[in-house]
């Protein structure tokens, strides 16, 4: 029999009021920051269904921005995240969407700076847990609860093998892995959840593997 952790039931240590609308939202924002690789200069946040209806009263707005600022769910600055973002000249826009989604707690977060931008879709599934379901148009399933490596690569023979060979060399165990592509022979996205945080030296070696375009990571 599998037993749930008490934190699966009551949610993580957090600044309230809601594990789904606050802690989960913060983790979506933090995932966006991590995958972008730095603090963005601007963000457009599209909110759907329950998120769109209650984001101000339930703290979803400041929690998403707190995540973008790099705050953990229990950071005492969380409730002041909107003010802190303004002080850091981060431009934030919230858009209330009327369309239906597969999950009521859904946010589409577009972040960027003067050179580039990135888009992801995250859902808060309860108890502070989240799933990232889309990244720059690629469908994926990323829990955000484990360290992960996201690898953009050319859809070519040997790309996956070159990555897994390096991970095996450093005795890094793969917990979950999936590969998505938009078309045969075009760009593809490799998503690998691992059991431990990956050192930057390993990432540098991965970047030099066959057919790799770009690498980002999420730490636990």
């Amino acid at each position: 029999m599998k037993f749930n952790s008490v934190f699966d039931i009551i949610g993580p240590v957090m600044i309230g009021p809601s594990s789904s609308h606050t802690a989960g939202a913060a983790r979506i924002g933090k995932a966006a920051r991590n995958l972008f690789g730095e603090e963005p200069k601007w963000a457009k946040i599209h909110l759907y269904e329950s998120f769109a209806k209650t984001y101000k009263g339930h703290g979803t707005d400041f929690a998403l921005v707190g995540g973008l600022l790099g705050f953990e769910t229990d950071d005492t600055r969380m409730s002041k995240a909107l003010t802190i973002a303004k002080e850091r000249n981060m431009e934030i826009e919230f858009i209330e969407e009327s369309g239906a989604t597969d999950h009521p707690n859904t946010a589409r977060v577009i972040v960027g700076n003067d050179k580039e931008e990135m888009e992801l879709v995250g859902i808060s599934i309860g108890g502070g847990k989240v799933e990232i379901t889309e990244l720059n148009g690629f469908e994926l399933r990323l829990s955000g609860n484990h360290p992960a490596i996201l690898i953009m690569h050319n859809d070519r023979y040997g790309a996956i093998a070159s990555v897994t060979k390096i991970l095996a060399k450093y005795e890094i165990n793969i917990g979950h892995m999936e590969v998505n592509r938009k078309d045969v022979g075009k760009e593809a996205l490799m998503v690998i959840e691992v059991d431990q945080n990956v050192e930057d030296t390993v990432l540098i070696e991965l970047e030099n593997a066959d057919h790799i375009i770009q690498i980002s990571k999420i730490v636990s």
Side-chain angles (χ1 to χ4, degrees), residues 3-47:
F3 294 93
N4 289 325
S5 160
V6 65
F7 292 107
D8 292 329
I9 300 170
I10 66 173
V13 177
M14 64 174 188
I15 303 299
S18 166
S19 61
S20 293
H21 286 234
T22 313
R27 286 179 168 168
I28 292 172
K30 184 76 175 295
R33 177 193 173 98
N34 287 342
L35 292 172
F36 189 60
E38 62 183 60
E39 186 169 293
K41 288 190 173 182
W42 56 265
K44 294 182 180 180
I45 303 173
H46 299 255
L47 301 168

Side-chain angles (χ1 to χ4, degrees), residues 77-108:
R77 297 171 295 174
M78 186 67 74
S79 61
K80 301 180 179 65
L82 294 172
T83 300
I84 295 171
K86 188 174 182 180
E87 291 171 350
R88 295 187 186 181
N89 296 315
M90 183 190 294
E91 297 180 8
I92 306 293
E93 180 181 2
F94 291 99
I95 300 105
E96 299 172 24
E97 298 286 0
S98 58
T101 56
D102 293 335
H103 194 284
N105 298 332
T106 298
R108 180 178 297 272

